[in-house]
Amino acid sequence: MNLLLIEDDDAIAEPLQNGLERQGFVVRRESTGIAGIEVLNGSFHPEIVLLDLGLPDIDGYEVCRRIRVSSSVPIIVVTARGDEIDRVLGLELGADDYLVKPFGFRELVARIHAVTRRTSGRDETVDSPIRIADGFTVDLRSRRAILDGKELALTRKEFDLLALLATEPGAIHTREEILEQVWDAHWYGPTKTLDVHIASLRRKLGDPTLIETVRGVGFRLRSGSSPVTKGTETADTGEGS
Ligand code: CA
């Protein structure tokens, strides 16, 4: 597996690179954010990016944001900044997971496998586009959400969240279930992260009522939504019931 390591600190990067190579990873290491971003435009195609936040040129958050403009490669943020705001922000910008320094090597490898497993598992999901509402479809296969003919710019997590809700419109998904399926079974982070993602997804959908909050339980896609009615335009989903 190709791995891009963006880390300026040799004392961290070198043993990490050696350890990862012993685990069979092909590691490309860069010491600055700009150099890391440039790798993604080159011939080395990483299947995962480990990103340090404290870099000498541009901030890791900015690196994350710029990578997400053109790539959905999984990103694990590795940071010394452990407070909740930073964690939520890192995930908001499109990171898939984070580790706070100091971390154990085995934990890192486990996270890498968890993140890439989720990624590849998603790609194998074969389904027709799901019609959520008039002019709004979610295609699990190409990982695209199309609203009024335009693709929504969703982060990986936002798409996963939407995809989970979309597979069973009207069904309630509990917070625990969502955290487990969209994040992972070992999500130790703040559950507030889920609310942050729901809020940003609602903003992007433009219709905040599409995702309903079931107080104290979880969330569901509005029941007027219907799965897979490709090519069939229903007259009106209606606000009633
Ligand atoms: Ca650093």
Side-chain angles (χ1 to χ4, degrees), residues 7-8 52 54:
E7 165 69 74
D8 61 313
D52 176 32

Side-chain angles (χ1 to χ4, degrees), residues 128-132 136-140 144-146 159 162-163 166:
S128 308
I130 299 172
R131 185 179 158 284
I132 307 290
F136 182 29
T137 56
V138 175
D139 188 339
L140 300 180
R144 281 149 50 97
I146 310 288
F159 184 86
L162 178 61

